[in-house]
Amino acid sequence: MTAATVTAPAEAHAGAPRRSVATRIVDRIGGGAVQVIMILLGLFWLVPTLGLLVISLRTNAVNGAEGWWTVFTKPAELTVQNYQNLLSSGFTTSFWNTVLITVPTTVLVIGIAAMAAYAFAWVEFPGRDLAFLVVVGLLIVPIQIALIPVASIYGGTGIFGSIPGVVLFHVAFGLPFAIFLLRNFFIGIPASLLEAARMDGASEWKIFASVVFPLGKPAIASLGIFQFLWVWNDMLIALVFADTGNQPMTKYLQSQMRQFGSNTDILSSGAFLSLIIPLILFFAFQRYFVQGMMAGSVK
Amino acid sequence: MTERLDGPRVPSEEGTASTRADTPHVQRRLGPSPKVAILFILPAAVLLAVWVVYPIFYSIYRSLFDASGTGFVGLGNYTTIFSDQSTFYTIIHNLWWVVLAPIVVTVLGLIFAVLTERIKWATAFKLIVFMPMAVSLMAAGVIFRFVYEQDPDKGMANAVLTVIASPFASEGYPDARPWGNAKSPIQAQDGAIVTKQQVQAGTPALIPIVGIKQPDVPADAPVAKPAAGPGLTGTVWFDFTRGSGSNGAIDGSEKALPGMTVEAVQNGRVVATTTTADDGTFRFEEIQQGSYTLRLPKENFQASFSGVSWLGPAPVFAPELGLHIVTISIILAFVWVWAGFAMVLIAAGLSAIPRDALEAARIDGATEWQVFRRITVPLLSPVLLVVFVTMIINTLKVFDLVYIIAPASVQPQANVIALEMWRVAFGGGNNQGLGSALAIVLLILVIPFMIMNIRRFRREGT
């Protein structure tokens, strides 16, 4: 805001007593330096992803011979060959597995957490505060703690390796954050709205479904996008609980890392395809994304 | 500050605090019976109990048994963690993560948040820096595997470094060698080139070099000239003429080799050092009369700087300290992912600081640095703490980036607790006793932050 004050034309008339000419020059140069630094930093954050995109659009032979930045002099080398190969490989199955894991998880987390959050926010019951503190505590439990025990439960019930097994694991570990986020939002809903509904004789379910849930949409959107990305991007849970036929993209691509260097085509195009949907979601809903992140920053 | 980041602020479409006015802790006289609550909570409670709470107790129990789960070993798995060298070092590696990554992310986030206030394209910058948050750590790992490729012609990091370093690097002439003819006045010796005969002042030495690749010779390099004048002198040049080859004589068209280091050696000791001029000549000023062997040390013939071995196992300090280059590189990737998180949170905190306080300080004559140091940072400290603690928790749990970025041969130097836990229990080790113990260690490490969260929540008492 200093820059703004300095450049404001009105300032010149007012004669800004405490700003000498020298100060202004220093500020102007400082402003220029800030611009340059920020451009460099911006490039540092942008260029690696750009590099992945270019690599994915060049053949292994070209990538093996020269860096992706030579694309600026040889744009003719670009091809979608890698993507065509990728789509005829096992990657397509893993893409749909990712969808089959992510969508049900997100829906279940929202539904189950919203119900619990409503009770935590608006229904008195003994031990409520203590129970909610437990939820807050569970926010940061490392998932490693559950890998072995849940694997043994799954082994006993026969859902080890299946998509429902992966989904349930995700749902359970998504719940503390989801309940925390939604409860804090629901508690801000004006009590008068709920009381009016109760006086009209509405059931608790009706109040939840037709008053609280619709009013909670902004928070639910935040939670939804956050939860979607979290599950879409997970690798560890998939590594343990999804067998090869049910593996999502992250696990499929991980299995390709062993030949890093020889299968640049699969890795680069697969990694780029895996991140394109999160990026679209991010740019479309970044407001909700940011809100969800802020609300859950204790996680 | 944080209270507002936490709940009710989130929805406020209007962005004002006024929506909160009628919210606080209303007496719920018309509340439904507790039985209803059970129905609402039951699904979540069952899932949390079976998938999260029960496993904590089962892991504690399981960590007291051996790999097969039949033999009780007491705390044996825990003593293994601390006595087995490679397992113990996973904890050390994690500690390095905790020491390095959170502070870098937090400071960077603070710098970004402050600097974005000074540029007009702040929104674009924030989107760019924040973008990696949406990308899977697996994809981020693949991205950085490409960035860190060793060959500067392929890996971007080394490409940038070699370009930056090129003006400072000495002109290297790899593959250069003495003219191989028996009449050659020089010969190779331990990578260096030395004169066969002793040389004296007054007789300029000839040092003809061949074997230099054309691209290494500067196209505009001047023609070599015979040295003249008093003192110990000579010429270093590229003794090659297209068509006639090498002959050990300066023929007036051959290129000089400037920037070569030349040493005068007497009785095995370097007594003087000089550098060749643009025309390839050199001269030792103020050197005593006598006979010397001239030597072009091997540094002249080493390839120029070709980048850092980003994913190499080389230790940064003493090897026992357990910090390796590969860890630094992976931490940089981690910073790339998380800086946006820090920036956005801190920027939100920054925008909540009352402008009046800052302006008042400026009018009182405080410099920008003083304003930043004495007002901005103290007012931001709650947010900075949230970011810092979140990063500590993330570094303790770090898994994907290490697993994807570290090449198989360097995994032992990069290994962390979460990765070792997976490896031991599922990734081939099949030792669920030791795996459970490692998971418990991880849990114990995050428990202080769990308590912190609970305390903070109770204090803010929503």
Side-chain angles (χ1 to χ4, degrees):
Chain A
M1 62 273 99
T2 326
T5 344
V6 173
T7 48
E11 193 87 359
H13 297 292
R18 299 204 71 90
R19 294 201 164 272
S20 67
V21 176
T23 318
R24 288 186 204 191
I25 292 171
V26 168
D27 269 7
R28 199 61 75 75
I29 295 169
V34 167
Q35 296 281 345
V36 172
I37 291 170
M38 295 304 266
I39 288 171
L40 287 177
L41 287 169
L43 285 177
F44 181 79
W45 255 264
L46 189 61
V47 169
T49 317
L50 197 68
L52 180 74
L53 173 62
V54 175
I55 289 171
S56 75
L57 291 171
R58 311 217 295 180
T59 61
N60 276 356
V62 174
N63 282 324
E66 54 193 22
W68 61 267
W69 49 89
T70 57
V71 72
F72 296 112
T73 53
K74 303 172 186 170
E77 283 172 347
L78 292 178
T79 166
V80 292
Q81 187 62 46
N82 294 344
Y83 287 93
Q84 286 169 346
N85 295 349
L86 185 74
L87 293 181
S88 58
S89 72
F91 180 82
T92 320
T93 315
S94 71
F95 178 88
W96 288 115
N97 286 336
T98 296
V99 174
L100 285 176
I101 292 168
T102 307
V103 173
T105 303
T106 308
V107 172
L108 282 171
V109 167
I110 289 174
I112 295 172
M115 285 167 58
Y118 171 69
F120 276 120
W122 290 107
V123 185
E124 293 273 13
F125 62 90
R128 184 176 72 164
D129 292 345
L130 182 67
F132 194 69
L133 285 182
V134 171
V135 172
V136 174
L138 293 182
L139 275 173
I140 59 169
V141 169
I143 58 174
Q144 274 79 9
I145 204 82
L147 296 179
I148 291 170
V150 173
S152 80
I153 297 175
Y154 283 6
T157 54
I159 61 168
F160 190 84
S162 71
I163 285 182
V166 178
V167 168
L168 285 171
F169 194 99
H170 273 301
V171 172
F173 272 84
L175 280 176
F177 170 73
I179 295 172
F180 180 75
L181 179 77
L182 293 183
R183 179 265 187 191
N184 284 353
F185 185 92
F186 289 166
I187 212 164
I189 292 173
S192 51
L193 287 177
L194 278 82
E195 277 167 25
R198 278 175 187 157
M199 287 215 263
D200 289 348
S203 68
E204 284 306 304
W205 178 258
K206 190 153 171 50
I207 294 171
F208 167 71
S210 57
V211 178
V212 174
F213 198 86
L215 283 174
K217 268 182 194 154
I220 289 167
S222 292
L223 170 64
I225 175 116
F226 210 65
Q227 187 66 42
F228 185 95
L229 290 176
W230 191 51
V231 179
W232 186 278
N233 291 335
D234 159 76
M235 181 172 80
L236 176 56
I237 294 171
L239 276 178
V240 175
F241 294 109
D243 58 26
T244 316
N246 297 319
Q247 66 186 1
M249 284 182 288
T250 45
K251 183 174 177 180
Y252 174 81
L253 290 172
Q254 188 280 323
S255 69
Q256 299 290 323
M257 284 306 285
R258 258 166 282 164
Q259 300 98 36
F260 188 86
S262 63
N263 60 353
T264 302
D265 49 347
I266 298 274
L267 267 178
S268 58
S269 55
F272 196 80
L273 273 190
S274 82
L275 62 79
I276 198 69
I277 286 182
L279 277 195
I280 291 170
L281 280 177
F282 166 66
F283 282 115
F285 300 104
Q286 41 118 345
R287 192 169 63 104
Y288 292 115
F289 186 59
V290 172
Q291 286 170 348
M293 192 191 73
M294 298 233 212
S297 58
V298 291
K299 188 171 177 168
Chain B
M1 179 60 245
T2 37
E3 310 92 289
R4 283 202 262 161
L5 282 183
D6 283 339
R9 171 74 180 277
V10 174
S12 66
E13 308 255 20
E14 304 85 350
T16 61
S18 65
T19 45
R20 283 196 82 186
D22 50 348
T23 57
H25 313 284
V26 190
Q27 57 291 50
R28 290 153 201 157
R29 273 181 238 107
L30 275 162
S33 78
K35 281 178 199 153
V36 181
I38 293 173
L39 293 176
F40 277 92
I41 298 230
L42 194 64
V46 169
L47 279 159
L48 286 175
V50 175
W51 271 265
V52 187
V53 178
Y54 158 76
I56 294 174
F57 296 102
Y58 182 84
S59 286
I60 295 171
Y61 167 81
R62 185 64 183 82
S63 71
L64 305 175
F65 288 81
D66 63 6
S68 64
T70 47
F72 182 81
V73 293
L75 295 177
N77 287 318
Y78 295 93
T79 49
T80 303
I81 291 173
F82 290 95
S83 59
D84 178 75
Q85 181 91 350
S86 68
T87 318
F88 176 66
Y89 265 99
T90 62
I91 298 176
I92 301 291
H93 296 154
N94 256 108
L95 288 181
W96 278 114
W97 272 85
V98 171
V99 167
L100 296 173
I103 189 78
V104 174
V105 170
T106 311
V107 169
L108 215 54
L110 178 61
I111 292 172
F112 286 3
V114 171
L115 289 188
T116 44
E117 294 206 327
R118 290 165 174 262
I119 55 171
K120 294 211 173 82
W121 45 289
T123 311
F125 183 85
K126 282 183 183 173
L127 276 180
I128 289 171
V129 175
F130 197 55
M131 192 184 66
M133 282 285 297
V135 171
S136 69
L137 293 169
M138 198 280 311
V142 172
I143 287 173
F144 275 85
R145 268 302 277 272
F146 287 121
V147 167
Y148 286 144
E149 276 203 85
Q150 175 73 59
D151 183 351
D153 287 335
K154 292 197 270 176
M156 198 170 56
N158 276 344
V160 171
L161 279 191
T162 48
V163 167
I164 293 173
S166 58
F168 308 105
S170 63
E171 292 279 329
Y173 297 105
D175 305 330
R177 59 179 193 273
W179 177 39
N181 192 294
K183 284 189 289 180
S184 171
I186 56 171
Q187 61 189 356
Q189 188 184 74
D190 298 334
I193 288 180
V194 296
T195 52
K196 288 178 183 169
Q197 307 289 328
Q198 303 264 300
V199 295
Q200 290 92 20
T203 316
L206 295 180
I207 304 183
I209 309 259
V210 298
I212 295 173
K213 279 179 276 177
Q214 283 299 335
D216 287 344
V217 183
D220 55 349
V223 168
K225 291 206 182 79
L232 187 56
T233 62
T235 305
V236 181
W237 83 103
F238 182 29
D239 184 22
F240 177 80
T241 309
R242 203 174 287 276
S244 62
S246 312
N247 57 12
I250 302 172
D251 65 4
S253 68
E254 289 165 344
K255 298 283 192 188
L257 293 176
M260 282 277 195
T261 306
V262 185
E263 294 170 344
V265 182
Q266 196 170 42
N267 303 326
R269 204 166 55 84
V270 177
V271 285
T273 302
T274 189
T275 307
T276 57
D278 281 352
D279 60 1
T281 60
F282 60 89
R283 175 188 308 280
F284 289 97
E285 312 281 353
E286 297 177 17
I287 192 167
Q288 288 185 331
Q289 286 289 332
S291 296
Y292 298 92
T293 302
L294 297 184
R295 179 166 71 191
L296 306 187
K298 64 180 175 194
E299 287 73 29
N300 287 315
F301 309 106
Q302 280 165 346
S304 50
F305 177 69
S306 64
V308 174
S309 180
W310 293 98
L311 303 180
V316 178
F317 309 116
E320 305 81 61
L321 292 177
L323 180 63
H324 306 266
I325 302 277
V326 63
T327 300
I328 303 277
S329 303
I330 302 171
I331 288 177
L332 285 178
F334 179 92
V335 170
W336 182 81
V337 171
W338 286 103
F341 168 84
M343 173 189 69
V344 169
L345 237 65
I346 296 170
L350 211 53
S351 66
I353 291 180
R355 297 285 142 181
D356 308 358
L358 302 182
E359 282 308 319
R362 288 199 185 100
I363 289 167
D364 287 346
T367 64
E368 281 302 311
W369 173 249
Q370 284 173 325
V371 171
F372 177 76
R373 181 70 195 78
R374 300 278 169 76
I375 302 178
T376 310
V377 171
L379 284 176
L380 276 180
S381 56
V383 187
L384 296 178
L385 186 68
V386 167
V387 171
F388 192 73
V389 167
T390 309
M391 285 308 116
I392 290 179
I393 297 166
N394 281 337
T395 51
L396 287 173
K397 295 178 183 174
V398 66
F399 171 82
D400 307 44
L401 283 178
V402 179
Y403 190 37
I404 295 291
I405 296 181
S409 60
V410 195
Q411 291 265 332
Q413 282 78 24
N415 205 0
V416 288
I417 302 171
L419 183 51
E420 177 69 4
M421 185 269 149
W422 177 80
R423 213 188 291 276
V424 159
F426 300 97
N430 211 18
N431 185 343
Q432 308 212 321
L434 185 57
S436 297
L438 281 164
I440 296 296
V441 168
L442 209 52
L443 181 68
I444 289 171
L445 288 174
V446 303
I447 277 179
F449 305 104
M450 208 180 272
I451 294 168
M452 226 170 120
N453 271 346
I454 292 173
R455 280 201 175 153
R456 189 156 63 91
F457 179 79
R458 289 183 71 167
R459 196 172 55 241
E460 288 166 6
T462 332

